[in-house]
Amino acid sequence: METIGFIGTGHLGLPIVTNLLKAGYPVKVYNRTREKAAPLEALGAELVDSPAATAVRGGIVLTLVSDDKAVESIADNDFIQALGHGGIHVSLSTISPDTSRALAAHHQKQGVTYVAAPVFARPEAAAAKAGNAVVSGPGAAKERVKPLLEAGFAKNVFDLGEDPGSANVLKLIGNFMIAGAIEMMAEAFTLAEKNGVDPKVAYEMLTTTLFAAPIFRSYGAMVLERNFADSPAFGAALGLKDMNLVLQTATRSHTPMPLAQLVQSRLMTVVARNEKDTDWVALATGAREDAGLKG
Amino acid sequence: METIGFIGTGHLGLPIVTNLLKAGYPVKVYNRTREKAAPLEALGAELVDSPAATAVRGGIVLTLVSDDKAVESIADNDFIQALGHGGIHVSLSTISPDTSRALAAHHQKQGVTYVAAPVFARPEAAAAKAGNAVVSGPGAAKERVKPLLEAGFAKNVFDLGEDPGSANVLKLIGNFMIAGAIEMMAEAFTLAEKNGVDPKVAYEMLTTTLFAAPIFRSYGAMVLERNFADSPAFGAALGLKDMNLVLQTATRSHTPMPLAQLVQSRLMTVVARNEKDTDWVALATGAREDAGLKG
């Protein structure tokens, strides 16, 4: 099997690389903080010292980092030249559609293909290969990349066409809707509690009938339990970054999104209170605290 | 089988009475506009001339009308006395929890039990007995009423306890969450369209994975198709009334709900434009028109 490069071994990168190794792919791994990638060495990954060193000429490198700047700084000339003609850079990060488009044009000049394939999965779902991938970019490159996404984290792969920004647009929309669902349940459960109805009963009724979807079941349980600081899988600072990208994309396209503004504001409060490392589901505390409920 | 009274044969009352008749219950029907109940006569219902005339002493009458005032005006002394000791008034309408509590106390003085059992179902779901019921009130009365709810519209019956207002609280929460889901999809699909992503592709991806719930599938399709005026199943004026009840309940319990305020405002615009008879899903036009999209 061909050697794969992987850059960024955070909460989500670790299970994905683990799955690729289990599937039999040799993987060259780079992480800015080398120690975080150490567990992967024991599983057979080769740790390297620079982004460019993950690349095999004409091969595939996947990147999964925290923001636009991190992807841009990885994809420098050394990196692109190391990938070389026929090489593919698969960007798994949640970044701006415009950044994806600019990166794609920049890669193309040197014969390298850029594919956007942002990850829909929390770490445990990625580990179980129960996540979802949305992918956009040139057709042939997507075909080559698809088995890797399936081996790494994805139960389903959705093709969003040739425009490299499209997959990022859909990823932002998905995260916006998750945040909206959290706010919705936070307001709903607070109204229940303040009017003598056990929020757990409301949760059970609604998430087994009208709202019987994974997002409402899993995030609803977190909203009820309020253990946001225990092993956060997706921190509030990252959630805020994503909502900033939603609003940036909305602003550039002249799309007023009042619900997106509301959830961004909730997340800003969580981060402003220096709880940036708590799970982003903590945005649900806003509605609760606004209503005078504590603990 | 015992004779049942039924008051209010609107979009939802018609299929419910039809189901009760099919199940073999003799049904006495009253509707303010008698002609609307006429199709039920052909199916075997007895049409009567007053709310009190639907009641059999010690029997059960179900009411399904548009608002608090309508229920209050039905449940006058004639009506309660006609039901008499051991009688049960099952209130299927979406009304204020406080109105339910006041009605329950008033009925109890004359030996009549009031049970709140608001309907979660659009007309086609009620017809297919695929709806959901939430029920609150005294235990023995709820046991007697449950088979009727199942025969009439409900796949599931959820017991919310003794407080008659509880079922109404949950019903308001459910409708708030449906409205929130519509706003969420409206903003999301608008962002997609304005950024080169086909909203249908976003809908398919999201509602078959993270948001694979009946509400997102069915209402999402309506948001995409934008045929709000064709055979509205639940008019915008009724939707606005429900969101007013949500905010009234929120205000009385000091529960700030910014998302509820947003969807109420969207519905106010629909009604202000004299589109009160279009389906309440038309609240989705707000995000779209705010972004300059037409048609």
Side-chain angles (χ1 to χ4, degrees), chain A residues 97 101 120 132-134 156 158-160 163 165-167 169-170 172-174 176-181 183-185 187-192 194-197 201-206 208-216 246 249-262 266 287 290-292, chain B residues 97 101 120 132-134 156 158-160 163 165-167 169-170 172-174 176-181 183-185 187-192 194-197 201-206 208-216 246 249-262 266 287 290-292:
Chain A
R101 291 172 188 130
F120 277 99
N132 291 286
V134 287
N156 307 292
F158 293 85
D159 189 340
L160 269 282
D163 167 19
S166 290
V169 171
L170 185 49
L172 292 179
I173 284 171
F176 155 65
M177 284 182 57
I178 296 170
E183 170 68 22
M184 204 151 97
M185 288 190 282
E187 293 187 22
F189 296 165
T190 302
L191 187 68
K194 299 220 34 171
N195 286 276
V197 171
V201 172
Y203 164 78
E204 275 303 321
M205 189 267 154
L206 292 164
T208 56
T209 56
L210 294 76
F211 291 90
I215 287 300
F216 287 89
V246 168
T249 307
T251 300
R252 287 180 185 170
S253 59
H254 297 159
T255 310
M257 295 180 74
L259 176 51
Q261 286 176 313
L262 171 59
R266 296 291 199 203
D290 283 356
Chain B
R101 290 170 187 131
F120 277 100
N132 291 285
V134 288
N156 307 291
F158 293 86
D159 189 342
L160 268 282
D163 167 20
S166 291
V169 171
L170 185 49
L172 292 179
I173 284 171
F176 154 65
M177 283 180 58
I178 295 170
E183 170 68 22
M184 205 151 95
M185 287 189 283
E187 294 186 21
F189 295 163
T190 302
L191 188 68
K194 298 219 36 167
N195 286 276
V197 172
V201 173
Y203 164 79
E204 274 304 320
M205 189 268 155
L206 291 164
T208 56
T209 56
L210 295 75
F211 291 89
I215 288 299
F216 287 88
V246 169
T249 307
T251 300
R252 287 180 185 169
S253 60
H254 296 158
T255 310
M257 294 179 73
L259 177 51
Q261 287 176 313
L262 172 59
R266 296 290 200 203
D290 283 357

Side-chain angles (χ1 to χ4, degrees), chain A residues 109-277:
Chain A
K109 280 184 203 152
Q110 300 182 61
V112 176
T113 305
Y114 173 94
V115 171
V119 177
F120 277 99
R122 287 172 73 94
E124 63 278 14
K129 297 201 259 185
N132 291 286
V134 287
V135 60
S136 60
K142 284 185 294 195
E143 281 309 305
R144 211 177 135 197
V145 162
K146 196 181 169 195
L148 282 176
L149 303 176
E150 289 168 339
F153 67 94
K155 189 177 165 193
N156 307 292
V157 179
F158 293 85
D159 189 340
L160 269 282
E162 301 270 321
D163 167 19
S166 290
N168 301 107
V169 171
L170 185 49
K171 169 67 183 172
L172 292 179
I173 284 171
N175 274 15
F176 155 65
M177 284 182 57
I178 296 170
I182 296 169
E183 170 68 22
M184 204 151 97
M185 288 190 282
E187 293 187 22
F189 296 165
T190 302
L191 187 68
E193 187 169 343
K194 299 220 34 171
N195 286 276
V197 171
D198 183 349
K200 288 199 177 83
V201 172
Y203 164 78
E204 275 303 321
M205 189 267 154
L206 292 164
T207 65
T208 56
T209 56
L210 294 76
F211 291 90
I215 287 300
F216 287 89
R217 286 298 292 174
S218 61
Y219 284 93
M222 293 180 75
V223 170
L224 285 176
E225 285 160 18
R226 301 198 291 282
N227 288 328
F228 307 125
D230 293 359
S231 63
F234 186 65
L238 282 175
L240 176 58
K241 179 223 42 163
D242 286 3
M243 291 312 107
N244 289 342
L245 287 177
V246 168
L247 290 173
Q248 181 194 85
T249 307
T251 300
R252 287 180 185 170
S253 59
H254 297 159
T255 310
M257 295 180 74
L259 176 51
Q261 286 176 313
L262 171 59
V263 293
Q264 185 223 25
S265 172
R266 296 291 199 203
L267 282 164
M268 264 201 277
T269 296
V270 175
V271 173
R273 288 174 170 180
N274 205 22
E275 295 162 352
K276 62 185 169 30
D277 293 327

Side-chain angles (χ1 to χ4, degrees), chain A residues 23-97:
Chain A
Y25 289 99
V27 187
K28 292 187 182 201
V29 170
Y30 172 77
N31 196 61
R32 202 175 43 186
T33 315
R34 192 187 168 101
E35 306 89 73
K36 286 194 184 167
L40 295 169
E41 202 167 19
L43 298 173
E46 179 189 346
L47 269 53
V48 299
D49 289 326
S50 72
T54 62
V56 172
R57 185 157 293 273
I60 300 175
V61 176
L62 295 88
T63 60
L64 180 43
V65 292
S66 58
D67 57 22
D68 292 45
K69 276 193 181 164
V71 186
E72 287 167 337
S73 77
I74 285 165
D76 60 10
N77 284 334
D78 285 353
F79 173 81
I80 295 175
Q81 280 163 18
L83 265 171
H85 193 78
I88 303 175
H89 173 191
V90 185
S91 173
L92 302 176
S93 312
T94 299
I95 59 172
S96 153

